Amino acid sequence: MTKPRRRQAGEGGISEYPTKSGVRYLIKYGYTREDGSRGTVLKRGFPTRKAAAEELRARLTSVDRGSHVAPNRVTVDEHFTVWLAGLRKQPSTVASYSKNVRLHVVPYLGALRLDQLTGSRLTRLYRQLESEGRADGSGGLSPRTVRYIHTIVHSGLSAAVRDGLVAQNAADKADPPSAKAAASPEMQFWTAPELRAFLEHRRRVNDELLPAWHLISYTGMRRGEALALRWGDVDLDAARLSVRRGVTVVKNKGQGQQVLVGITKTPHSRRTVDLDANTVAMLRAYKAARGLISLSLARDDALILGDVDGRVRHPERFSRRWDTAVRQAMGASSDIELPKIRLHDLRHTHATLLLASNVPVKVVSERLGHANATITLGTYAHVMPGMQAEAAAKFGALMTEGAS
């Protein structure tokens, strides 16, 4: 009968030790650190020798495969602080991530070691945020916000896995609000007569921002893209403009607000948008009027929608000006009852009217700067039923032509 092979040095071992609750088991094994020196891990608390043996086998396998995670005491707070400081994203995105981590992650999980995070712990956090997560104590966060926080946590923990701080991403096993529950609020949009009525009202009251409302509604540009547009980005002879930059607001705790102009967030957002004759005429007249105020306001490097001093407008104040304009138009229109919409809904209005007029989805997608037409289809599915009915009728007519 052969004797059982003794464990070699470094292969690890199992020992038992007494506790008030009875016998418990510990495992001990060695590994090689990144600098070549040897380290030892001791892990206690296993209720049975079998459980300890299973864990030891798993740990030794990870050592053999080079996927072993060296013991560390890095906390959630410490890791996310370092991760956010080195994040290569737009300043507004980093500020948003930092705010959500500071308000909604660190107070609940910050003191935990990274290896103490589990999917269940994260799921419990998400449920707590939905019921009482508002920083002002007035209730819970929306499913959309909580899902966004989950996205941030998942990204941060992925970095921890890459850095060898943990073996797996606990967020993979968490249960955040579903995509359906976190869907955007139902969009609103105006019909063509409603948009015409609004623009006509703003023309009658001599709204200084009428060119802005016209430009956004006729091109489908985002708010920040329109505010960053310069005269050099527009070719009035060719009737087109180039979207290259965007304006964002960055809010960092203790630093106030910053309004920044930078390149658009994605390559797809950088695009060329063709202009109709009406918009070209409006821009020519507006540029001439700006030049009468100051020649500097009509130079190629001047912001088209800047204030009278040529400075970039604050995006949030710009949106408040829109809200005021809509309220005034709603109260003044007697022929058409205007529904209240957000400034971003002008972009939705532009897309919806084009799609309802049978403009190809790919063309609309390119005007909006979507990554692909699938995004456009998913966003504006509300337009499709009527278009499909029309397509069915047209196909039916083709099949009955010439039939006896």
Side-chain angles (χ1 to χ4, degrees):
M1 180 175 178
T2 60
K3 294 182 179 180
R5 186 177 70 84
R6 294 175 59 86
R7 292 185 184 273
Q8 299 299 310
E11 286 190 350
I14 301 173
S15 303
E16 65 178 51
Y17 61 96
T19 71
K20 291 181 179 180
S21 302
V23 174
R24 292 290 182 268
Y25 297 86
L26 65 81
I27 63 173
K28 181 179 180 181
Y29 64 94
Y31 69 98
T32 302
R33 298 188 180 97
E34 289 187 2
D35 62 4
S37 63
R38 292 290 294 172
T40 301
V41 176
L42 187 116
K43 186 174 177 60
R44 298 173 177 268
F46 297 97
T48 65
R49 181 175 290 275
K50 180 180 179 182
E54 290 175 350
E55 180 66 14
L56 179 59
R57 282 196 297 272
R59 295 296 183 103
L60 292 175
T61 298
S62 69
V63 170
D64 291 340
R65 292 177 176 174
S67 59
H68 178 259
V69 175
N72 66 79
R73 303 190 65 82
V74 177
T75 65
V76 172
D77 188 6
E78 291 167 344
H79 168 67
F80 274 85
T81 298
V82 172
W83 174 65
L84 288 166
L87 204 56
R88 292 183 179 274
K89 288 185 177 291
Q90 293 280 354
S92 59
T93 302
V94 175
S96 176
Y97 279 21
S98 299
K99 177 182 178 181
N100 278 283
V101 168
R102 174 172 54 84
L103 294 179
H104 305 307
V105 178
V106 170
Y108 303 91
L109 304 175
L112 292 178
R113 296 194 314 271
L114 282 173
D115 62 4
Q116 292 176 312
L117 273 185
T118 63
S120 296
R121 257 181 167 148
L122 288 173
T123 297
R124 188 165 68 245
L125 168 65
Y126 300 153
R127 295 296 176 267
Q128 187 173 358
L129 292 177
E130 287 182 271
S131 62
E132 54 183 57
R134 288 182 62 88
D136 59 9
S138 62
L141 302 176
S142 69
R144 181 176 176 83
T145 299
V146 175
R147 189 173 175 86
Y148 175 59
I149 293 168
H150 168 72
T151 299
I152 298 170
V153 170
H154 190 280
S155 184
L157 293 180
S158 292
V161 173
R162 290 195 303 271
D163 291 345
L165 297 175
V166 287
Q168 58 186 359
N169 190 331
D172 284 334
K173 299 181 180 180
D175 184 21
S178 66
K180 182 178 180 180
S184 300
E186 185 177 354
M187 71 176 67
Q188 303 291 322
F189 59 91
W190 279 337
T191 63
E194 288 168 344
L195 177 57
R196 284 196 299 268
F198 171 79
L199 294 175
E200 179 55 36
H201 173 265
R202 302 320 292 169
R203 187 175 294 108
R204 289 199 308 269
V205 300
N206 198 27
D207 185 349
E208 66 161 327
L209 287 177
L210 172 62
W213 316 143
H214 178 125
L215 186 63
I216 294 173
S217 61
Y218 274 64
T219 62
M221 281 193 293
R222 300 174 178 88
R223 176 185 68 179
E225 294 169 347
L227 292 178
L229 200 65
R230 301 180 184 275
W231 288 114
D233 299 325
V234 181
D235 187 338
L236 294 175
D237 293 328
R240 65 172 62 101
L241 60 81
S242 298
V243 177
R244 299 172 179 146
R245 292 170 295 274
V247 174
T248 56
V249 179
V250 177
K251 301 177 183 178
N252 288 308
K253 184 175 174 60
Q255 300 179 16
Q257 295 186 1
Q258 287 181 290
V259 178
L260 303 178
V261 180
I263 61 171
T264 57
K265 284 190 175 182
T266 67
H268 301 287
S269 296
R270 295 187 281 279
R271 62 196 186 277
T272 298
V273 179
D274 288 316
L275 304 174
D276 64 287
N278 189 10
T279 301
V280 169
M282 180 277 292
L283 287 173
R284 287 190 189 279
Y286 184 57
K287 185 175 184 179
R290 296 282 282 180
L292 290 177
I293 298 173
S294 172
L295 290 177
S296 64
L297 297 179
R299 292 199 307 246
D300 280 353
D301 62 350
L303 293 166
I304 295 178
L305 300 180
D307 63 18
V308 291
D309 295 316
R311 296 171 301 195
V312 63
R313 293 182 185 272
H314 192 293
E316 293 174 2
R317 294 177 197 144
F318 183 69
S319 288
R320 288 197 287 271
R321 293 284 297 273
W322 163 261
D323 293 338
T324 299
V326 171
R327 283 196 303 271
Q328 292 174 350
M330 289 171 66
S333 178
S334 57
D335 299 329
I336 295 178
E337 186 175 343
L338 284 177
K340 183 179 180 180
I341 68 172
R342 305 165 303 164
L343 177 57
H344 192 70
D345 290 327
L346 266 191
R347 175 173 164 85
H348 295 323
T349 296
H350 179 81
T352 300
L353 293 180
L354 289 180
L355 290 169
S357 299
N358 294 319
V359 174
V361 174
K362 187 174 186 303
V363 174
V364 177
S365 179
E366 290 171 350
R367 287 182 70 81
L368 297 178
H370 285 167
N372 53 62
T374 303
I375 294 174
T376 312
L377 283 168
T379 305
Y380 299 100
H382 62 281
V383 187
M384 302 305 156
M387 295 176 67
Q388 289 219 21
E390 184 178 351
K394 286 183 177 179
F395 189 87
L398 288 172
M399 294 298 97
T400 56
E401 282 182 6
S404 55

